[in-house]
């Protein structure tokens, strides 16, 4: 099975990092992967997104026009990519920065206040990891253990951040998995 997704937000929100972490976690799980970043020339505040493909067979192209899933960390990203998500897919939105609901009813829509939850955990920089957890929980793209291991590897040089980011990942995962289970319980 192939999972293709777009992760998008402002530069500096860490969307390229979490996309790369997903790709490496997929590779560590023995899957074929691609990671294609796209960003503006600004260091921070410009647009940033990446396309990630994780598959059990060779990836034909890293360019995806209609992804199965979207993680939108800001409103411009939701506005740009929401129409392109395949029916039956998933859209995870950072409700801290997105002031409108997902307008489609043919996708699983998961809202998570990533920035507020990051502040509650004591580090606003882990909002992207909370969103990543929600995305993994909502989409079941990879086993959580693979993503947790990638978080450990990614933050190994800063041991104090490993547990914080694992906690952030798990917090997001619970929210995403609950939304997926609720949708499955509705029979849609």
């Amino acid at each position: 099975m192939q999972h293709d997704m777009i992760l998008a937000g402002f530069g500096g929100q860490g969307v390229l990092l979490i996309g790369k972490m997903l790709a490496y976690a997929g590779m560590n799980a023995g899957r074929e992967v691609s990671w294609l970043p796209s960003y503006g020339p600004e260091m921070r505040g410009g647009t940033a997104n990446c396309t990630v493909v994780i598959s059990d067979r060779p990836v034909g192209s890293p360019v995806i026009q209609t992804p199965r899933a979207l993680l939108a960390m800001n409103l411009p990203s939701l506005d740009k990519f929401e129409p392109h998500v395949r029916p039956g897919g998933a859209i995870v939105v950072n409700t801290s920065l997105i002031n409108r609901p997902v307008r489609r009813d043919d996708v699983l829509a998961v809202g998570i206040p990533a920035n507020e939850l990051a502040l509650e955990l004591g580090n606003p920089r882990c909002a992207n990891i909370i969103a990543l957890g929600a995305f993994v929980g909502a989409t079941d793209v990879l086993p959580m253990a693979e993503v947790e291991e990638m978080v450990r590897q990614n933050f190994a040089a800063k041991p104090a951040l490993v547990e914080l980011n694992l906690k952030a990942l798990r917090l997001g995962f619970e929210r995403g998995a609950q939304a997926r289970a609720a949708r499955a319980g509705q029979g849609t």
Side-chain angles (χ1 to χ4, degrees), residues 21-44:
M21 289 172 65
L22 269 177
Y24 276 111
M27 198 166 43
N28 288 346
R31 308 267 174 46
E32 301 286 332
V33 302
S34 73
W35 174 75
L36 181 65
S38 175
Y39 46 89
E42 304 87 353
M43 180 68 79
R44 297 225 185 284

Side-chain angles (χ1 to χ4, degrees), residues 99-110:
N99 61 359
R100 72 163 177 87
V102 172
R103 293 187 174 131
R104 296 178 50 189
D105 60 6
D106 62 344
V107 297
L108 169 62
V110 178

Side-chain angles (χ1 to χ4, degrees), residues 105 107-109 178-188:
D105 60 6
V107 297
L108 169 62
Q178 288 170 355
R180 184 168 44 98
R183 176 82 175 215
Q186 295 172 352
T188 54

Side-chain angles (χ1 to χ4, degrees), residues 48-126:
N49 67 77
C50 61
T51 302
V52 178
V53 180
I54 301 173
S55 181
D56 56 3
R57 30 182 219 279
V59 175
S61 173
V63 179
I64 302 298
Q65 299 299 320
T66 54
R68 293 179 195 272
L70 167 65
L71 169 59
M73 290 293 286
N74 62 7
L75 184 57
S77 296
L78 180 61
D79 289 342
K80 180 177 182 178
F81 295 112
E82 178 181 7
H84 304 289
V85 176
R86 281 184 222 155
I91 300 175
V92 177
V93 298
N94 176 11
T95 58
S96 297
L97 299 178
I98 297 174
N99 61 359
R100 72 163 177 87
V102 172
R103 293 187 174 131
R104 296 178 50 189
D105 60 6
D106 62 344
V107 297
L108 169 62
V110 178
I112 186 154
N115 293 67
E116 282 91 347
L117 292 172
L119 286 172
E120 289 175 19
L121 288 177
N123 189 332
R125 295 185 62 182
C126 66

